[in-house]
Amino acid sequence: LKTLKVALLGFGNAGRAFARLLMKKEAALEARFDCHIAITAISTHTHGCAVDAGGLDLAEAVQTVEAGGRLRGDASLSAMDIITMADYDVLFEMTPLNIRTGQPAIDHIKAAFARGKHVVTANKGPIAWAFDELSALAASRGALFFYETTVMDGTPVFNLAQLTLPETSVTEVSGILNTTTNYILEELAAGKAYEDILSAGRALGFIEADAAMDIEGYDAAAKLTALLNVLMHAHMTPDQVERTGIEHITPADIRAAAARESVIKLYCRGWRDSGRLRATVQPVEVPRGSLLATIDATSSVVSITTEEMGKLSVVEHNPLIEQTAYGLFSDLIRVLNALA
Amino acid sequence: LKTLKVALLGFGNAGRAFARLLMKKEAALEARFDCHIAITAISTHTHGCAVDAGGLDLAEAVQTVEAGGRLRGDASLSAMDIITMADYDVLFEMTPLNIRTGQPAIDHIKAAFARGKHVVTANKGPIAWAFDELSALAASRGALFFYETTVMDGTPVFNLAQLTLPETSVTEVSGILNTTTNYILEELAAGKAYEDILSAGRALGFIEADAAMDIEGYDAAAKLTALLNVLMHAHMTPDQVERTGIEHITPADIRAAAARESVIKLYCRGWRDSGRLRATVQPVEVPRGSLLATIDATSSVVSITTEEMGKLSVVEHNPLIEQTAYGLFSDLIRVLNALA
């Protein structure tokens, strides 16, 4: 039995759901890959850290954090200390996102690659802001770099393109990628007031305290950029997206669209326009009865058009945190396959 | 440069589209896999055959057949002669389908496996009627067996599940899998008469001369069975599907559904019902505004629900013959990856 040592950077809802899935699948992975997954480091923002090159007790760590306790590692160790000093083979970057810069996740990933370590990230910032640099760095160090979870959680998008659409040339990527705006637009259409929607959405956990990143289209732009960087070699950053949010959409706009048998969705699209790659995020009217109009509340869709295969679409239906966990897990399996 | 020898059994529209794609991608495959693809045999039903262990001129073969000519191989060689005697590494089974038996494709594939040859098939019959037996035979001979094209052409369904959803347990598979019935139901809804729809559909190439296999749900049942055999280890045959076709659907039924804001679709579903696997193909009313209602004419959808990842759907939009060709090509790449 081989051992693959994994460091978890961030141990929030997604990180702990991933930990639970890992424990559930431990025997299956050992049987399939003849490999034991040892969690050798966990770094959290508010619950301390834990480091043990021999492998931590993952169940105990989950329990401690969920009970509001602290992990008992050296309290002076920063995330970067763990990245640069701990004993691990694969870093799981799951720290909170700064969507305007991609930091500190970018620096975390660079530091791991500098040591030749593999990286799986759930953090769209690095893919949106620094994909080319990070990919080149990974390649130069012989390190693996996977990021399925950054768009549509565990629903295969990047892995779909990379594993099931080989030797295709992607000509267009489009979709509905931000669920907060989807929810707000539907609630507006149902006649609710903007402020009521926000407060109800916050109470339900659908909407973050600072919803501006969603409402103004930054989150969608970052996801679109990540898709285009990976699938269309766009070499771009989110600030190059032509971006219009939904902050100026009024109930009157929505009623006018409804009178035309349409609904308004925040639509993301990237395509080659006379050789130049263009990327737009904007509210558009889509006809009732179209696929886009059926994507409700927390569901998402990505459509990929290739020269060789025409257009296909992948829909994620009302995901839970388990989908995020599975995305991380499927990237771990890509690592195991690559090392097998 | 290695050589992978390929025998093409069947050289109709799909086979020739695959040949054109292969020629277009020849350099890319040689660069990526350090492997030359040599077509060492082509067997056709009405255009003769060609065999050359050193590699045929594929462009010339396409041209000959498309000009209505005959390939200049020994006219006495049957498909089975070529399978059992020709020099090849991978057999591409693309002969016409007998949906009630899966033959002669099943025997063709068995004969190739008996020689330890890899098989790619575009033929749903063998996956619907003999998947377990063929898989076991392939495994016992160390042969590869891929069949992406059998459901939804080149849109990843089997490869999606096998390559991007590892270690999941599929609990339900559903979708709209037959485009002929989809087209007929839409035309009925548009007020056309059954016989006019059939004759117009035949003229456009959407509907086969004998449409009964589609209309009575056999084609959908075979595709559903193929999906369930592969994704849910169903160990079943198409005759075990609870099947109702659209032959008794009247314009009045469709108007009644429309009055309820619904449309009628031939819906396929397989799921575990108290431990027992059930499979149904039947006309169902789906609400306008649902994903299923948006699947029009020649488009299709498959939804896959897993314990670990919830539900995801893949939509194929208005495929052309190039999508079928790509499905065969993507399976060839699975062979190349496995042998690399």
Side-chain angles (χ1 to χ4, degrees):
Chain A
L1 201 68
K2 295 166 291 184
T3 297
L4 186 76
K5 295 179 178 179
V6 169
L8 304 180
L9 218 63
F11 204 54
N13 289 329
R16 296 195 308 277
F18 172 60
R20 281 192 293 270
L21 182 57
L22 257 188
M23 291 187 279
K24 192 175 153 194
K25 296 288 185 182
E26 185 177 6
L29 292 188
E30 291 189 2
R32 177 165 168 185
F33 295 101
D34 190 36
C35 185
H36 170 68
I37 309 297
I39 306 299
T40 56
I42 299 173
S43 164
T44 79
H45 193 60
T46 50
H47 294 277
C49 71
V51 182
D52 185 339
L56 295 160
D57 183 331
L58 195 52
E60 188 187 302
V62 169
Q63 206 171 14
T64 299
V65 169
E66 295 194 341
R70 287 182 66 85
L71 303 173
R72 278 176 295 179
D74 178 346
S76 73
L77 288 176
S78 68
M80 195 56 98
D81 291 335
I82 286 177
I83 297 164
T84 54
M85 298 189 300
D87 184 8
Y88 63 91
D89 304 303
V90 191
L91 179 73
F92 275 69
E93 217 300 333
M94 304 179 288
T95 63
L97 169 68
N98 180 330
I99 208 164
R100 289 195 189 271
T101 65
Q103 292 291 10
I106 293 171
D107 286 343
H108 291 163
I109 295 172
K110 281 187 193 173
F113 285 151
R115 294 181 67 192
K117 307 300 189 187
H118 310 302
V119 173
V120 170
T121 184
N123 207 315
K124 71 182 86 68
I127 313 302
W129 287 101
F131 177 67
D132 289 347
E133 185 187 4
L134 294 173
S135 297
L137 196 52
S140 74
R141 299 302 179 117
L144 300 164
F145 185 29
F146 298 124
Y147 34 77
E148 183 60 76
T149 320
T150 60
V151 177
M152 296 217 319
D153 312 303
T155 299
V157 178
F158 298 112
N159 291 343
L160 175 85
Q162 292 170 355
L163 298 176
T164 75
L165 297 172
E167 296 295 330
T168 56
S169 178
V170 177
T171 56
E172 179 165 340
V173 177
S174 64
I176 297 173
L177 302 174
N178 180 269
T179 55
T180 301
T181 49
N182 219 26
Y183 170 79
I184 292 172
L185 288 169
E186 280 175 33
E187 294 290 281
L188 281 173
K192 298 193 188 158
Y194 216 90
E195 281 313 313
D196 294 343
I197 297 167
L198 290 189
S199 54
R202 283 183 185 123
L204 290 165
F206 290 170
I207 300 184
E208 306 212 20
D210 177 8
M213 291 296 101
D214 293 307
I215 290 169
E216 295 172 15
Y218 284 102
D219 174 74
K223 286 174 176 161
L224 178 62
T225 303
L227 286 170
L228 298 178
N229 280 340
V230 177
L231 304 183
M232 294 184 74
H233 315 291
H235 315 296
M236 65 184 285
T237 48
D239 48 352
Q240 293 171 281
V241 174
E242 301 165 41
R243 178 184 49 76
T244 307
I246 65 160
E247 64 272 30
H248 301 301
I249 300 291
T250 63
D253 294 330
I254 290 174
R255 283 193 301 272
R260 290 185 286 266
E261 290 292 310
S262 294
V263 295
I264 297 177
K265 296 284 186 185
L266 187 65
Y267 181 62
C268 304
R269 181 176 177 227
W271 74 104
R272 291 209 188 276
D273 185 6
S274 319
R276 189 172 75 91
L277 197 131
R278 281 188 63 193
T280 55
V281 170
Q282 58 193 17
V284 300
E285 275 190 39
V286 298
R288 283 190 208 284
S290 65
L291 174 60
L292 289 169
T294 71
I295 303 302
D296 53 7
T298 62
S299 296
S300 309
V301 63
V302 166
S303 298
I304 300 174
T305 307
T306 66
E307 258 176 45
E308 293 79 1
M309 251 297 295
K311 180 175 169 182
L312 65 87
S313 300
V314 190
V315 179
E316 175 179 58
H317 303 272
N318 304 312
L320 305 170
I321 195 70
E322 283 71 24
Q323 264 87 323
T324 307
Y326 182 79
L328 294 160
F329 178 76
S330 72
D331 279 346
L332 174 66
I333 291 188
R334 286 197 73 175
V335 172
L336 288 165
N337 272 322
L339 301 180
Chain B
L1 198 68
K2 295 166 289 184
T3 297
L4 187 76
K5 295 179 179 179
V6 170
L8 304 180
L9 218 63
F11 204 53
N13 289 330
R16 296 195 307 277
F18 172 59
R20 281 192 293 271
L21 182 57
L22 257 188
M23 291 187 279
K24 193 175 153 194
K25 296 288 185 183
E26 185 177 4
L29 293 188
E30 291 189 2
R32 178 165 167 184
F33 295 101
D34 190 36
C35 186
H36 170 67
I37 309 298
I39 306 299
T40 56
I42 300 174
S43 164
T44 79
H45 193 59
T46 51
H47 295 276
C49 72
V51 182
D52 185 339
L56 295 159
D57 183 330
L58 195 52
E60 189 187 299
V62 169
Q63 207 171 13
T64 299
V65 169
E66 295 195 340
R70 287 182 65 86
L71 302 173
R72 278 178 292 179
D74 178 346
S76 72
L77 288 176
S78 68
M80 195 56 99
D81 290 335
I82 286 178
I83 296 165
T84 54
M85 297 190 300
D87 184 9
Y88 63 90
D89 304 303
V90 191
L91 179 74
F92 275 68
E93 217 300 333
M94 304 178 289
T95 63
L97 169 68
N98 181 330
I99 208 163
R100 290 196 189 270
T101 64
Q103 292 291 12
I106 293 171
D107 286 343
H108 291 164
I109 294 172
K110 281 186 191 171
F113 285 151
R115 293 181 67 194
K117 307 299 188 186
H118 311 300
V119 174
V120 170
T121 184
N123 207 317
K124 69 181 89 64
I127 313 302
W129 287 101
F131 178 68
D132 289 346
E133 184 186 4
L134 294 173
S135 298
L137 197 51
S140 74
R141 298 303 178 118
L144 300 164
F145 186 28
F146 299 123
Y147 33 76
E148 183 60 76
T149 319
T150 60
V151 177
M152 296 218 317
D153 312 302
T155 299
V157 178
F158 298 112
N159 291 343
L160 176 86
Q162 292 170 356
L163 298 175
T164 75
L165 296 172
E167 295 295 330
T168 55
S169 178
V170 176
T171 55
E172 178 166 338
V173 176
S174 64
I176 297 173
L177 302 174
N178 180 269
T179 56
T180 300
T181 47
N182 220 26
Y183 170 79
I184 293 172
L185 289 168
E186 280 175 34
E187 295 289 282
L188 281 173
K192 299 193 186 157
Y194 216 89
E195 281 312 313
D196 294 343
I197 297 167
L198 290 189
S199 54
R202 283 181 185 125
L204 289 166
F206 290 170
I207 300 185
E208 306 210 21
D210 177 9
M213 290 296 101
D214 294 307
I215 291 169
E216 295 172 15
Y218 285 102
D219 174 74
K223 286 173 176 162
L224 178 61
T225 303
L227 286 170
L228 298 178
N229 280 340
V230 177
L231 303 184
M232 293 183 75
H233 315 291
H235 315 297
M236 66 184 284
T237 49
D239 48 351
Q240 293 171 281
V241 174
E242 302 165 42
R243 179 184 48 77
T244 308
I246 65 161
E247 64 272 29
H248 301 302
I249 300 291
T250 64
D253 294 330
I254 290 174
R255 282 193 301 271
R260 290 185 287 265
E261 289 292 310
S262 293
V263 294
I264 297 178
K265 297 283 185 186
L266 187 65
Y267 180 63
C268 305
R269 181 176 177 229
W271 75 105
R272 293 209 186 276
D273 185 5
S274 317
R276 188 171 75 91
L277 197 130
R278 280 188 62 194
T280 56
V281 170
Q282 58 192 16
V284 300
E285 274 190 40
V286 298
R288 282 189 208 285
S290 66
L291 174 59
L292 289 170
T294 72
I295 303 302
D296 54 7
T298 62
S299 296
S300 310
V301 63
V302 165
S303 298
I304 300 173
T305 306
T306 65
E307 258 177 45
E308 294 78 0
M309 250 297 295
K311 179 176 169 182
L312 66 87
S313 300
V314 191
V315 179
E316 176 178 58
H317 302 271
N318 302 313
L320 304 171
I321 194 71
E322 283 71 24
Q323 264 88 323
T324 308
Y326 183 79
L328 294 161
F329 178 77
S330 72
D331 279 347
L332 175 66
I333 291 188
R334 286 196 74 176
V335 172
L336 287 165
N337 271 322
L339 301 180

